[in-house]
């Protein structure tokens, strides 16, 4: 197994990947497609183990375990479109450069480092990996040590599928991540929290390595008065309770038109019962908090405000019930950090403009949700707020549209991926201008005498 934590071993692995990359083998489109198909076949083969690992790491129900395996859908999409993405992209040239032709030619960056988090520990390593392979790179993977069962399945799957000179996986914790970050890579793709994101960026700066940082933050969910209450409640409870709220794009808190708050709360309470029964601890469909540290942090948030549903918890089982919280102010501690668990504060607004002003004073979120049938409200929210992505009248599902970039803005992240955006993230888009010899105009060469007027004209001054 490629479990190599010592800095010397990391350096040796990297040396082998650099040597392999230099052979040019990874540039061939046939090679890339073959490796992507091999990855797809390996995921199909390992699906039961992946789902079992998600159960061990996060108490995931089988259905939610399949969210990890669902990356094969994106693999299909990448395999189908790769030849087109890899083609040179024609550029139009200004009159002054004619005759000539110009194009943008994607080329691989070299060796990429991909560091993953624990919450979707399989998918968030494999999804960037497919971009790295598709773009023709070698890749070094470091899954999260906090999801050890998944890390172990990933290690076996990768070792069985790839030559480690092309794709290698290094298991381990912070020391291993730091040993990797001390090396010079050609791109670093990090998914996780903001604090470590800064450490990654600082390490990358030592080598001027470009980074993609897929971070988190508090994703608001605005609920206007003009909604189908029942459907809104179904979708919100699903998005908040999926993986026990440990989803980077889960709705973090609700911001509700005060006129419909009572009705919405009743619908949410009912929906929690419909999905998880009177006692969600006994539901086979409800996940657990990843570890005791996260459990203690989340339980610490329960002391604020009034609990409208849930609130019960059990440390031995790392269980926290789906919880609705009322009487939370913008200044409350729970509104200062990403919740990342099954606790949903409900704030209200009277005037949408004030609510938007409040949102805009806070860090830019990874996602923003709006439930409203009113097109003017939709337009107002889209125009006056910012977020990595938006979903109107649903939650989370915007990230399944592979034709759109997935990433944050401001403190929720730098860069984006999915589909062609992954391909571009792991490519250098090289600009090429090609000129023939048969015409060589004199206007740009010294002596410049009498050419200034012509140049002025050419740059559009007269
Ligand atoms: P984390 O920051 O604790 O850890 C992520 C990775 O960083 C792990 O592989 C870990 O080993 C490594 N790491 C931890 N400490 C390190 C250090 N000091 N130096 C170098 N590497 C270190 O993140 P997490 O707790 O695993 O993930 C939760 C966060 O990730 C949440 O904020 C969530 O919103 C965010 N997230 C974002 C996305 C996204 O796509 N934008 C997806 C999932 C999670």
């Amino acid at each position: 197994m490629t479990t190599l934590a010592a800095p010397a071993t990391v350096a040796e692995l990297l040396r082998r990947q650099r040597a392999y990359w230099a052979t040019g083998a990874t540039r061939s489109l046939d090679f890339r497609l073959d490796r992507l198909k091999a990855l797809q076949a390996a995921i199909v083969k390992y699906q039961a183990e992946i789902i079992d690992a998600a159960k061990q790491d996060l108490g995931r129900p089988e259905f939610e375990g399949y969210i990890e395996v669902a990356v094969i859908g994106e693999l299909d999409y990448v395999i189908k479109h790769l030849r087109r993405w890899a083609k040179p992209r024609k550029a139009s040239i200004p009159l002054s450069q004619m005759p000539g032709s110009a194009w943008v030619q994607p080329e691989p960056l070299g060796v990429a480092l991909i560091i993953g988090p624990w919450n979707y520990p399989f998918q968030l390593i494999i999804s960037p990996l497919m971009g790295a392979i598709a773009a023709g790179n070698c890749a070094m993977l470091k899954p999260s040590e906090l999801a050890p069962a998944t890390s172990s399945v990933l290690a076996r799957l990768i070792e069985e599928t790839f030559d480690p000179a092309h794709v290698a996986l290094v298991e381990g914790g912070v020391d291993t991540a730091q040993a990797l970050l001390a090396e010079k890579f050609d791109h670093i793709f990090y998914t996780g929290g903001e604090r470590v994101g800064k450490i990654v960026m600082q390490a990358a700066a030592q080598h001027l390595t470009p980074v993609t940082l897929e971070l988190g933050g508090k994703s608001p969910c605005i609920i206007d008065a003009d909604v189908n209450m029942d459907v809104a409640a179904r979708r919100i409870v699903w998005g908040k309770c999926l993986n026990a709220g440990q989803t980077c794009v889960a709705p973090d808190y609700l911001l509700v038109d005060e006129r419909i708050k009572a009705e919405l709360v009743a619908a949410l309470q009912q929906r929690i019962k419909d999905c998880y029964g009177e006692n969600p601890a006994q539901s086979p469909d409800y996940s657990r908090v990843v570890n005791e540290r996260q459990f203690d942090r989340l339980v610490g948030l329960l002391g604020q405000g009034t609990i409208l549903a849930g609130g019960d918890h059990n440390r031995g089982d790392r269980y926290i019930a789906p919880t609705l919280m009322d009487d939370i102010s913008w200044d409350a501690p729970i509104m200062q950090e990403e919740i990342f668990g099954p606790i949903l504060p409900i704030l209200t607004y009277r005037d949408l403009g004030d609510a938007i002003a409040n949102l805009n004073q806070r860090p830019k979120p990874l996602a923003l949700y709006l439930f409203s049938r009113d097109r003017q409200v939709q337009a107002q929210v889209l125009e006056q707020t910012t977020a990595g992505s938006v979903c109107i009248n649903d939650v989370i599902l915007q990230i399944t549209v592979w034709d759109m970039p997935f990433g944050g803005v401001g403190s929720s992240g730098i860069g984006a991926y999915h589909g062609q955006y992954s391909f571009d993230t792991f490519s250098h888009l090289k600009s090429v201008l090609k000129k023939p010899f048969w015409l060589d105009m004199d206007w740009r060469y010294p002596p410049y005498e009498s050419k200034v007027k012509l140049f002025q004209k050419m740059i559009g001054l007269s």
Side-chain angles (χ1 to χ4, degrees):
M1 188 173 303
T2 326
T3 305
L4 306 159
T9 332
V10 163
E12 169 57 17
L13 205 49
L14 182 58
R15 195 194 57 72
R16 283 170 64 191
Q17 291 205 336
R18 288 221 171 280
Y20 189 63
W21 192 74
T23 66
T26 65
R27 288 177 177 255
S28 140
L29 274 179
D30 286 339
F31 173 85
R32 301 184 208 180
L33 286 165
D34 176 72
R35 296 295 75 212
L36 290 168
K37 286 175 188 164
L39 178 59
Q40 199 172 33
I43 296 171
V44 172
K45 178 179 165 193
Y46 274 86
Q47 59 181 299
E49 288 184 55
I50 296 163
I51 287 157
D52 187 54
K55 188 164 185 58
Q56 288 179 52
D57 289 331
L58 290 143
R60 286 253 196 101
E62 184 187 5
F63 184 94
E64 291 182 16
Y66 272 103
I67 295 174
E68 303 282 351
V69 178
V71 279
I72 54 169
E74 190 184 357
L75 259 167
D76 252 344
Y77 182 82
V78 171
I79 289 167
K80 197 164 148 209
H81 292 92
L82 177 56
R83 286 194 190 276
R84 182 165 60 78
W85 298 338
K87 278 190 183 148
R89 304 167 194 180
K90 196 173 165 16
S92 56
I93 58 172
L95 197 63
S96 59
Q97 294 307 323
M98 287 179 186
S101 56
W103 65 92
V104 175
Q105 188 162 325
E107 64 180 16
L109 293 168
V111 181
L113 171 63
I114 297 171
I115 299 178
W118 50 263
N119 64 330
Y120 289 91
F122 185 82
Q123 187 192 108
L124 294 174
I125 286 286
I126 297 294
S127 181
L129 171 64
M130 69 179 87
I133 296 173
N137 299 282
C138 294
M140 195 97 77
L141 313 175
K142 212 298 277 171
S144 173
E145 71 282 15
L146 301 181
T150 304
S151 175
S152 161
V153 174
L154 268 167
R156 274 181 287 129
L157 182 153
I158 295 295
E159 197 203 13
E160 190 180 298
T161 313
F162 294 100
D163 177 346
H166 179 216
V167 178
L169 185 142
V170 184
E171 282 193 278
V174 176
D175 289 354
T176 304
Q178 288 181 344
L180 285 161
L181 287 170
E183 298 292 339
K184 180 174 166 53
F185 286 87
D186 299 295
H187 193 89
I188 299 178
F189 190 105
Y190 167 80
T191 305
E194 192 181 324
R195 184 187 66 84
V196 178
K198 289 178 185 167
I199 296 173
V200 169
M201 200 164 170
Q202 249 169 6
Q206 303 313 309
H207 301 292
L208 282 180
T209 299
V211 291
T212 303
L213 301 180
E214 294 284 338
L215 310 178
K218 291 183 83 63
S219 298
C221 180
I222 304 171
I223 299 118
D224 176 46
D226 186 2
V227 291
N228 178 324
M229 194 66 74
D230 195 42
V231 175
R234 287 163 69 91
R235 293 175 179 174
I236 291 165
V237 167
W238 170 76
K240 187 68 184 187
C241 295
L242 185 74
N243 204 25
Q246 301 162 113
T247 302
C248 57
V249 284
D252 188 272
Y253 61 97
L254 302 186
L255 198 45
V256 187
D257 184 315
E258 63 178 18
R259 291 169 296 169
I260 55 145
K261 179 184 162 194
E263 199 189 336
L264 178 70
V265 168
L268 293 170
Q269 286 166 328
Q270 185 56 47
R271 192 61 201 158
I272 292 170
K273 279 192 193 136
D274 292 347
C275 288
Y276 305 108
E278 289 294 337
N279 181 6
Q282 286 172 356
S283 166
D285 298 325
Y286 189 62
S287 300
R288 295 297 184 263
V289 173
V290 67
N291 55 29
E292 271 132 24
R293 198 169 139 252
Q294 290 296 327
F295 176 90
D296 293 341
R297 180 185 64 79
L298 287 164
V299 169
L301 299 177
L302 292 173
Q304 305 159 41
T306 311
I307 291 178
L308 297 177
D312 38 324
H313 48 87
N314 173 1
R315 194 168 195 264
D317 192 22
R318 301 191 319 275
Y319 163 76
I320 300 179
T323 299
L324 304 177
M325 294 190 68
D326 197 6
D327 300 323
I328 299 287
S329 75
W330 284 101
D331 303 327
I334 198 170
M335 292 304 292
Q336 313 312 315
E337 60 176 284
E338 181 182 1
I339 296 172
F340 219 53
I343 305 171
L344 187 61
I346 302 173
L347 284 78
T348 56
Y349 66 87
R350 184 167 296 171
D351 175 68
L352 182 60
D354 291 344
I356 289 173
N358 260 325
L359 289 181
N360 288 340
Q361 282 170 19
R362 309 174 79 81
K364 296 174 181 175
L366 185 59
L368 183 145
Y369 302 112
L370 168 67
F371 286 81
S372 178
R373 289 193 189 96
D374 186 327
R375 280 170 190 266
Q376 266 184 345
V377 168
Q378 293 173 2
Q380 185 182 357
V381 170
L382 279 178
E383 277 163 25
Q384 296 178 7
T385 64
T386 183
S389 62
V390 172
C391 186
I392 298 173
N393 296 331
D394 214 323
V395 295
I396 297 180
L397 298 180
Q398 75 278 15
I399 71 168
T400 67
V401 182
W402 297 308
D403 208 17
M404 300 203 288
F406 173 48
V409 55
S411 55
S412 57
I414 295 175
Y417 73 132
H418 281 189
Q420 183 169 4
Y421 297 93
S422 291
F423 178 87
D424 286 357
T425 284
F426 287 101
S427 296
H428 167 55
L429 299 180
K430 184 164 69 182
S431 299
V432 184
L433 173 67
K434 184 173 150 187
K435 307 270 291 199
F437 286 115
W438 58 266
L439 184 67
D440 192 37
M441 305 278 277
D442 207 37
W443 63 265
R444 68 178 150 132
Y445 299 116
Y448 295 129
E449 201 192 345
S450 79
K451 293 177 183 170
V452 171
K453 279 222 153 55
L454 177 62
F455 190 43
Q456 283 175 334
K457 254 195 187 151
M458 293 190 74
I459 63 176
L461 279 179
S462 55

